[in-house]
Amino acid sequence: MAHLPVSPEKLIEQFGPHLNYPPREGFAGRDEPDKAVKTHCCFCGMQCGIKLLVKNDKVVGFDPWEEFPFNQGRLCPKGVQRYMQNNHPDRILQPLQRNEGVGFTPVSWDEAMDKTVAEIKRIQEKYGKNAFSVLSGVSLTNEKSYLMGKFARVALKTANLDYNGRLCMVSAGAGNKKAFGLDRTSNTYADLEKAEVIIVAGANISETFPTLTHWVWRARDHGAKLIVVDPRVIPLARTADLHLPVRPGTDSALYGAILKYLADHDMLDHDFIDNHTTDFDKALAAVKDYTLEWGRSNYRY
């Protein structure tokens, strides 16, 4: 089993995490930046607009991008603190080598490269090319994602390449692709404001997409009903009109029971179904044996 080379306390003392607040008067250059760069926050799927203030090629602050249509200048704590990452004192800027009893000590880039290449070759010679896998990230630029793919397939020659979206947005993208023909949302978030009913299923908006919460509250102000489907009492569920704490893995049973109920009571939009869907009869056939009572047995009250 892996173990630390020194105590956790010593590693924290050396590398953090340490709190780092901006100076009370702001970073140097904050009030006279060379330029304001319009960009996006990369920390969730909302991609909120933000203006980063740059002085001498360093990010020294930010301004709200109030004209940006989605967040309209709003930012969550992740977006507000993003600009501090570049110059945070805990940021590691050089390779480190593990030394038992000492911790991690700096080494040169050439030494780190030679060591890494030698270990890759040693492992692959013993276990094969696919002994390595590469895990990339959604927040990379297109160019960096391209390079990660090339590194995995051309340099390492491994078939194991993935990214963190496999556990996040891939399922949503696949569902949207099948339902609406696009692997992303097919309407503007501003449409939420006009909704009469909002169903939030398996999405912890308040903590993972904070700026989206604004549009939910706008709809609520106009009388919209809120239904939350989630095993946990997430923050949004505390104010919902209806919280359905389904058992994990039974959400499909819930949706099937709802569809069966709507069909049995002729509550479907037949014009929309006829003009804008395909194989709806197959969907009905798949839930013909569902009952609402069977669905209720999978709720956890």
Side-chain angles (χ1 to χ4, degrees):
M1 181 179 294
H3 64 277
L4 297 175
V6 291
S7 68
E9 292 75 19
K10 188 171 182 179
L11 291 176
I12 292 174
E13 179 183 354
Q14 186 176 6
F15 299 107
H18 299 108
L19 292 177
N20 184 46
Y21 299 101
R24 188 177 297 276
E25 66 279 4
F27 285 109
R30 169 65 177 81
D31 296 324
E32 64 277 349
D34 297 329
K35 55 185 175 180
V37 179
K38 294 180 178 179
T39 184
H40 298 271
C41 176
C42 64
F43 284 112
C44 81
M46 296 297 97
Q47 299 289 292
C48 292
I50 185 175
K51 295 179 182 178
L52 294 180
L53 304 181
V54 178
K55 182 72 172 181
N56 297 327
D57 293 328
K58 287 188 175 182
V59 177
V60 295
F62 77 95
D63 275 342
W65 188 354
E66 296 180 358
E67 300 80 16
F68 195 78
F70 169 64
N71 61 307
Q72 299 175 342
R74 300 177 190 85
L75 290 169
C76 78
K78 294 180 288 185
V80 168
Q81 301 295 324
R82 162 62 183 92
Y83 77 97
M84 295 175 59
Q85 280 191 312
N86 290 40
N87 303 308
H88 196 285
D90 285 346
R91 188 177 181 191
I92 296 175
L93 300 176
Q94 60 189 118
L96 300 173
Q97 178 175 283
R98 175 193 175 106
N99 290 308
E100 195 66 37
V102 176
F104 295 92
T105 54
V107 296
S108 69
W109 286 99
D110 288 340
E111 186 178 353
M113 179 66 74
D114 292 342
K115 175 73 171 178
T116 301
V117 172
E119 286 299 298
I120 290 175
K121 288 181 176 179
R122 179 186 66 81
I123 293 171
Q124 287 191 328
E125 286 174 359
K126 184 174 182 179
Y127 299 104
K129 300 294 185 182
N130 290 332
F132 276 87
S133 63
V134 175
L135 183 66
S136 184
V138 181
S139 57
L140 297 179
T141 63
N142 288 342
E143 292 78 10
K144 289 179 180 178
S145 295
Y146 175 82
L147 288 176
M148 290 296 290
K150 284 292 187 182
F151 174 71
R153 296 188 176 96
V154 178
L156 296 181
K157 293 181 172 61
T158 178
N160 302 316
L161 171 64
D162 211 336
Y163 80 122
N164 64 316
R166 180 74 59 191
L167 304 176
C168 182
M169 295 304 296
V170 166
S171 57
N176 276 308
K177 180 70 173 180
K178 289 183 177 180
F180 307 115
L182 290 173
D183 59 357
R184 62 197 72 89
T185 185
S186 56
N187 59 289
T188 171
Y189 285 114
D191 287 351
L192 280 173
E193 184 179 0
K194 303 178 177 64
E196 296 181 10
V197 177
I198 297 175
I199 299 178
V200 178
N204 189 359
I205 292 175
S206 303
E207 295 179 336
T208 57
F209 296 157
T211 51
L212 180 57
T213 309
H214 163 74
W215 295 105
V216 176
W217 294 151
R218 292 281 291 266
R220 297 280 272 164
D221 289 342
H222 295 159
K225 300 297 183 182
L226 176 63
I227 301 172
V228 173
V229 182
D230 200 293
R232 303 184 303 154
V233 184
I234 59 175
L236 201 65
R238 297 172 189 155
T239 63
D241 296 283
L242 179 62
H243 173 219
L244 301 178
V246 296
R247 295 182 184 278
T250 63
D251 46 337
S252 294
L254 169 66
Y255 306 143
I258 293 174
L259 178 57
K260 178 67 162 51
Y261 183 89
L262 294 175
D264 288 348
H265 293 79
D266 196 24
M267 300 170 67
L268 300 173
D269 186 341
H270 296 286
D271 289 338
F272 181 88
I273 292 170
D274 293 340
N275 295 317
H276 300 288
T277 69
T278 57
D279 294 333
F280 194 81
D281 56 327
K282 294 181 180 179
L284 290 179
V287 300
K288 63 182 177 62
D289 295 327
Y290 277 61
T291 67
L292 195 58
E293 290 301 322
W294 187 89
R296 283 198 185 103
S297 68
N298 288 281
Y299 300 164
R300 181 176 58 194
Y301 292 103

